[in-house]
Amino acid sequence: MNIFKQFIKSLYSPKDIAPYRFQGIGKTILYVFFLTLLSIIPSSVYFSTALINGMGAIQDSVKTELPSFIIENGEMQSDIDVPKIINKDDFTIIFDSTGTVNQKELSNSNNTIALLKNDAYFVAGGQVQSFSYSMINDAVLTNDDIESVLATFDSLLAIIIPLIVLVIYIFAAGLKFIEISFLALVGLLLKKLLEVDIQYRHTWRLAAYSVTLPTIFFTVMDSLKTLVPNGAILNWFVAFIILFLVIKEIPRPEKK
């Protein structure tokens, strides 16, 4: 059975997932990468679109609306006493050299560029990218320098966006493998409960397919920009139930 048929079956049929415990580990790993790729499509699209739109917004704001500032020794300095917030269409630009705004306040933001006292942040599609001013070493940056940097950055978006999406994909794949490995450990407890003769390598394969339904559900919710309350708990609960039903489909050894 090819990977696409397995994907469809894994959405609704624990009985069809059960035989996958015998397939090669390479095919299962390939399936995990395929599932991860599907899961990051909405966030990658939103992130890329927001980045392209945001570059135009911040370039215009640096020229016309932001106060004069200087970045030196890893710190931004200006004459403002309170943070300045600029709303442009669906984008928000936060300028704060006072240290009032912190990263935690940005975690719930959407489509935001924040130039803070020690770092710059870009938030889009549920992804947060940061840049520390200390990375520019002893260089001194002013408004004019930032305009030049932004113009260069804008011209390189065709290269930068795929690289950022690749990093997002690798990070998401790592988390997915960790999730599956932990769920496979839970599978060992289930196999004792259900008295089924399988080993960890089997439960790992089964866990990889058991996470399909919750993964696709949250992918759809991301595409609709809908926040699911207690999403992490729901994700683990659904994956656990599916794995339980899958292991339950495995024939038990006959008792002598």
Side-chain angles (χ1 to χ4, degrees), residues 207-233:
Y209 291 93
S210 297
V211 300
T212 300
L213 181 59
T215 298
I216 296 304
F217 170 76
F218 284 101
T219 300
V220 173
M221 291 298 102
D222 286 344
S223 67
L224 298 175
K225 296 184 179 181
T226 302
L227 179 64
V228 180
N230 301 312
I233 296 175

Side-chain angles (χ1 to χ4, degrees), residues 37 40-41 43-45 47-48 51 127 129 159-172:
L37 180 61
I40 70 164
I41 289 176
S43 60
S44 297
V45 170
F47 178 83
S48 302
L51 182 57
Q127 304 293 326
Q129 304 294 327
I159 299 174
I160 294 172
I161 289 177
L163 290 177
I164 294 177
V165 171
L166 178 61
V167 171
I168 294 172
Y169 176 60
I170 293 173
F171 181 73

